[in-house]
Amino acid sequence: MPSTILEETKGQSGLESAVPSDQLRKIVEEEFQKTPIIDMHTHLFMPSLGKLGLWGIDELITYHYLEAELFRFSSVKPDQYWKLSKQQQADLIWRTLFQENTPVSESTRGVIAVLNAFGLNTTAKDLTEARQFFNSQQLEPHISKVFELAGITSVVMTNDPLDPQEAPLWQNNPAPNKQFHAVLRLDRVLNKWADNWQTLANQGYKVSADLSGNTISEVRRFLSEWCDRMRPVYMACSLPDTFMFPEDSARSRLIAEAVLPTGRERNIPLSVMIGVRYQVNPAIKLAGDGVGKTDLRAVEHLCVQFPDNRFLISVLSRENQHELCVYSRKFGNLLPFGCWWFLNNPSIVEEMTRERIEMLGNSFIPQHSDARVLEQVIYKWKNTRRTMTPLFAETYRVLSEDGRPVSRAEIRRDLDQLFRTNFERWVNL
Ligand code: RAT
Ligand code: ZN
């Protein structure tokens, strides 16, 4: 009996094991359904981090992607909306986006798919039934059920050591959970040093606004202590469209002299997500960020100057995707990932994934869910499978037409690589 997929593939090489062209779609679909996915970037939290973890119908419906859509359809003003209770907000969104309008957008359709997955009425006149259902769930078995429905085995969290709600929870040694991996998220430290250095100083680190004295070594001590506490699989930061590296800024020095040395010392990658135009409309809070095209020479400089660091890179602008593929062909220390945020729509996911396969083979990570509310993983991964299945099948069809058929075992190996082992290897899981 073959013990690995590779051996099985070898054993099955030749025409006998080749999947006929008209079966490719079905076989890809079957294998994709069985692929044990690692969701490598989410905003979910392990149960021991308590109330930070969002789940249930009211959270699903007040997701900021849906709040952005509410303000397009409703006459309610943002400041009126923010005064409502969570349930009132959810009721308003349900009425506006799901009853007075047909829920055809990606985010509204997502809620429908979740309700449907649990056998709940998708045309209900109110949220009573859904609330009763979610209120009657016990969190831990519910998490297992959701992961099973989504086809994922574990998720990667986003953990902010300067979040006033989150940081104290980590100080109490929360129980680790094999299904939730931590990530040391550094937006506050890197993007807003001027607003946050004082918090570090108050915690006893000898740091200053202008990075003088022992600041750099003290930031390294801070990172090191948080790495010990969280055991992150990577460090991460989202960055504006104006991001440049190197440049004359606190962020640039902190990346070069504190974050990347810590990454090398700990052997963990840095994930950079570039292209946000923060708060173009602050009135709608979390929904108020936009997107801008970025100058990817910053990525080039990072990869050239720090060959001993590994980078996970996602860029938010559609216009930057091709360049990112080209850079990925140049640098073995760059792993592109995901169709992030405004890109996570079937039309764009299809275009980006096709481009990545054509330019990079299977050496990338096609998607992460970015889920903020537990049950979102169900619809986000369902959508990913639905969009990507035909294009993987088409890739194999043309390969076969050109003279190289593939076996089921190879298809399984490829999906495993894309959605699991590329990540495991990059972060040394
Ligand atoms: O997709 C989102 O929910 C955004 O608001 C961001 O959180 C983004 O994914 C990020 O990680 O910065
Ligand atoms: Zn995110």
Side-chain angles (χ1 to χ4, degrees), residues 169-321:
L169 300 171
W170 283 102
Q171 313 275 7
N172 290 333
N173 300 319
N177 184 317
K178 285 199 171 60
Q179 291 189 297
F180 291 81
H181 310 287
V183 156
L184 184 54
R185 179 82 175 224
L186 299 172
D187 290 33
R188 288 183 214 237
V189 178
L190 295 178
N191 289 334
K192 294 198 171 163
W193 178 251
D195 300 339
N196 288 295
W197 70 271
Q198 191 67 57
T199 311
L200 266 72
N202 294 344
Q203 292 173 9
Y205 299 98
K206 296 196 174 46
V207 295
S208 60
D210 62 0
L211 305 187
S212 58
N214 291 335
T215 301
I216 295 291
S217 60
E218 285 291 274
V219 173
R220 286 186 62 173
R221 182 164 73 87
F222 167 82
L223 296 173
S224 220
E225 287 172 4
W226 277 97
C227 284
D228 287 341
R229 200 169 280 132
M230 287 179 177
R231 305 255 150 229
V233 286
Y234 59 80
M235 292 183 282
C237 187
S238 87
L239 293 159
D241 57 334
T242 53
F243 174 63
M244 189 30 77
F245 183 92
E247 66 175 8
D248 182 16
S249 69
R251 178 172 59 208
S252 209
R253 267 196 75 193
L254 288 167
I255 291 176
E257 297 172 36
V259 175
L260 292 175
T262 303
R264 292 193 295 273
E265 197 177 281
R266 300 262 163 177
N267 196 18
I268 54 174
L270 174 66
S271 165
V272 286
M273 306 167 77
I274 318 169
V276 188
R277 295 206 57 233
Y278 296 104
Q279 295 294 285
V280 295
N281 183 3
I284 59 172
K285 300 190 180 177
L286 211 48
D289 292 343
V291 57
K293 188 176 182 306
T294 193
D295 183 348
L296 283 184
R297 268 175 285 199
V299 167
E300 175 184 327
H301 299 152
L302 281 169
C303 292
V304 172
Q305 288 175 29
F306 299 96
D308 297 329
N309 283 91
R310 295 186 304 285
F311 299 94
L312 282 159
I313 311 250
S314 211
V315 283
L316 193 53
S317 162
R318 181 185 178 197
E319 287 70 25
N320 279 131
Q321 301 306 326

Side-chain angles (χ1 to χ4, degrees), residues 4-23:
T4 65
I5 291 176
L6 255 178
E7 283 171 40
E8 199 184 319
T9 309
K10 264 192 262 158
Q12 288 182 355
S13 63
L15 272 181
E16 259 171 346
S17 61
V19 177
S21 285
D22 63 350
Q23 294 288 303

Side-chain angles (χ1 to χ4, degrees), residues 41 43 63-65 185 187 238 273 286 340-341 370 372:
H41 169 58
H43 298 264
Y63 184 32
H64 70 89
Y65 291 26
R185 179 82 175 224
D187 290 33
S238 87
M273 306 167 77
L286 211 48
W340 178 26
W341 200 346
D370 234 312
R372 276 177 186 268

